[in-house]
Amino acid sequence: MASGDINLVDLKTPGTFDADREIWEKALSKLRTGEMPPPNLPRPKAADVAAAAKFLEAEFARQDRTANPDPGRVTARRLNRTEYNNTIRDLLGVDIRPADNFPSDETAFGFDNISDALTLSPVLLEKYLYAAERAVRTAIFGPEKLKPAAIHYPLPVRINDTVETASLPKDLFNYDRTGLSTRHAAHVVHRFPVDGEYSFRIVLNGHRPNQSEPVHPALFIDGKQIKEWEVDATDLEGQIVEVRTHVTAGEHLLSCAYLNNYHGLPPSYKGPAPSTRPEGALITTRGKLTEKDIETLRKFGTKIKTDRLETRVDNRYESIDVGGPFTQTLGPTAESKRRIFVCPQQTTACASQITATFAARAFRRAVTAKETAPFTQIYTLARQESDSFEEGIATALQAVLVSPEFLFRIERDRPGKFSPVTNTELASRLSYFLWSSMPDAELASVAARGTLRQPAVLNAQVRRMLADPKSRALVDNFFGLWLQFKNIDVMKPDHEKFPEFEDSLRLAMRRETELFLENLIRTDGSILDIVDAKHTYMNERLARFYGMEGVTGPEFRRVDMSRTERGGGILAHASTLTISSYSTRTSPVLRGKWIMEAILDQPPPVPPPAVPTLDESKVGESASLRQQMEAHRANPVCTSCHSRMDPLGFGLENLNAIGAWRAMDGKFPVDASGVLPGGRKFNGPAELKALLTAQPEVFARAVTGKLLTFALGRGLERFDKPVVNGITTRLAARGYRFSALVQEIAASLPFQQRRPANAPSVKPAGVEKSE
């Protein structure tokens, strides 16, 4: 039988399951999904399919048992930007993120920590010199004195809430009184270079209904209210409020909101604390009134109706300007001094101890006197020139930070086909896997004692490290790249089609996913919850967008989703639904492709050239998107891939291009049903998620492969498959717990051992020749 340029009849020779395993694995996958045999051929009985699958599985298990083990090889691995920033933070006690100015890291196999992709350019070499100097001098002498500067953040100009669009909260007595989670708020993430006093100049915009009470704009930093103002105006365009306050160095979320925004409206709004101002006479004009005319009329309580709607409650913000620092906290922190000056005297002997201790921590291993002698010499020369002990130490430590031993994670080759990495190398592998940073004192101490490889000790360290706040790095650096939800930061849905999408909603979408994954790690949840959970996290802004009641305020809290049509899990998150859509509409193809790649680890082949595009103008008008797609994929060339990819995407059609629930696609009812090859049927996201978790080993194998790739910093090879399969099998007995997956990877052959450069990769058992 020939299909897809493969003739299974030709694979009858002895040893075919060894030499042609990848072909047979694809055949098994297609048997399981019903893609074999093709639709136009007779289908065997279900019992025959099950028997064939069982036979192939047994053959693969036999091969895995007899295969020659090979841990693979990871070349010297440069610290990527995130790892560099985190290592500087933990090494020196300063969080200045110097690598943010480095060139972007290349990605491979979906991640930015892959050794072969982390090249070293001349530009990066220059930036290493400056970064080392800045980091060390900040730690020893404190941040440099900065001149005040201003940064301007323009905010989207749009009408937010109006009575005409019926978008005011249904219950004006029960809403977020801080305004932080409403569409009237504005949010900006700003990095403050040093501790100091900064100015905030906020320009207001929008309108309030005439005869409203004064409005109360407010500034929040990281959710804490800093300042409230009172502005007695209904036309807020161009109104300015300002304040100065002290802010610590680092990234902070700046939020501008209107406090009690639906208080003080005219009585006709039937809101809390209605305005007591007389509504006065109504003057309607289509012409222009001067500012003096308007002011005079308003003094008499006259209500003026011009070209602009007066019933609008669309007060918003136009821009935020951050200036400073005007006063600056100078000098080093006590923590930085403690980490560096481990010897109190200003002598050459102490200088040698300081540089040796620092080099050992920076190189993430023990160092010899011969290795550290050059750094002591650098100290001596620098001190003679500057007559300053601190200047000498600073120059020596800068030299440490531009050493390849710091910039690269280097593991030494040892004799033999392969051998275990040292305990200190294992500690470094583990810390950069879970924290994207260097080992802490406890992990380094366990490694120095030579006990880290012991299973009980290793498992205990894994549990401790996952419980540490630094494991948050997994959410950003593993989950963020694997599931791609961080791309929500750059998505730009069409404003005309989705006017409700703005920055506070964007931030809430991302935060929902982050909190969900942080909780999975912290509570040691099942990895299957990633696909189909019974809960999520929301604040009022996201809850109103999802149509959920009973959630008020800007704080995120856990919400039960078990009785909703949307349900929980990553497939229900607006972040992933938005990044897998076009700016104007949903895309069953993009969503189906995302599921196949991220959830199933079965990426579809590259589409053939010259495939005609979809006529966007007809979507939702002359036919539903589904009908258009079905006609579009009538091309036989497209059917083989789209027959599986499109139904997966159609299962999410109840969720629009920014993740809101819908029942209609334009003028047509949404049809979220699907039939996969083999006849498996589902209807809607809940049944789709149930189908994807019905074979938990499929998703578990996908997650294992992704996490192992991230942990090793290299792509997986043919010889890694027995490891992935073995971990997947053992996870079932451990409830698919996240910590169990991490422990299995940490104890695996490729994580604990390595193949030297001069040793060839092993050949699969039974294969005499490899081409």
Side-chain angles (χ1 to χ4, degrees), residues 484-498:
Q484 304 167 34
F485 69 83
K486 293 201 298 184
N487 291 347
I488 189 68
D489 293 347
V490 296
M491 297 301 295
K492 296 180 179 179
D494 184 85
H495 177 52
E496 290 188 5
K497 289 184 176 291
F498 306 105

Side-chain angles (χ1 to χ4, degrees), residues 534-550:
K534 298 184 183 299
H535 68 278
T536 193
Y537 290 83
M538 299 182 198
N539 65 355
E540 181 178 328
R541 179 69 189 93
L542 190 61
R544 282 195 283 113
F545 177 71
Y546 282 171
M548 299 288 292
E549 297 182 354

